[in-house]
Amino acid sequence: ATGLVSEGVPTHLAASLISGLCVTTAMNPFDVVSTRLYSQKVESGVGAMEKNLYASGWRGPLDCMGKIFRTEGVLGFYKGWTAHYLRLGPHTVLTFLFWEQTQRLATRMGY
């Protein structure tokens, strides 16, 4: 501990909220790509989207990323960010809070 910030649940809560924002922002592009790959219609073993925007379907993750970037720009990778944060945020917060409290308990017990 550097003494800049006091140890405790409020500090751990704030840090875990920030971690949740970082994790969501870093992972959302991959979540968008995987969701689109999973949800595409498959005809004769080849992906085919129903919309004309992606009429040829996607050949794989890199092809999907390229087409999203060309047609929707960078923001296309962050569609659904709020829903993603509502899923990952609480998980990250609880994980780090439980971890810190477990470490504190283990230290008190001499481990």
Side-chain angles (χ1 to χ4, degrees):
T2 62
L4 295 174
V5 181
S6 63
E7 278 288 318
V9 173
T11 302
H12 298 151
L13 178 64
S16 61
L17 284 170
I18 293 168
S19 295
L21 292 171
C22 294
V23 166
T24 303
T25 302
M27 291 304 299
N28 205 74
F30 300 103
D31 195 51
V32 167
V33 169
S34 67
T35 299
R36 292 194 186 186
L37 288 170
Y38 282 130
S39 64
Q40 75 177 328
K41 188 176 175 183
V42 176
E43 295 174 356
S44 302
V46 178
M49 294 302 295
E50 294 179 43
K51 294 181 180 179
N52 288 334
L53 187 61
Y54 304 110
S56 63
W58 292 300
R59 293 184 304 266
L62 294 177
D63 183 50
C64 182
M65 288 173 129
K67 287 180 179 177
I68 291 171
F69 182 74
R70 282 191 298 279
T71 57
E72 301 173 52
V74 174
L75 293 179
F77 292 109
Y78 291 95
K79 288 185 175 181
W81 187 93
T82 303
H84 197 193
Y85 181 72
L86 291 174
R87 181 178 54 140
L88 280 179
H91 176 269
T92 304
V93 168
L94 292 174
T95 298
F96 283 118
L97 284 177
F98 288 143
W99 175 255
E100 290 295 335
Q101 295 309 308
T102 302
Q103 278 186 316
R104 182 180 287 176
L105 180 63
T107 301
R108 281 189 210 149
M109 294 175 70
Y111 289 101

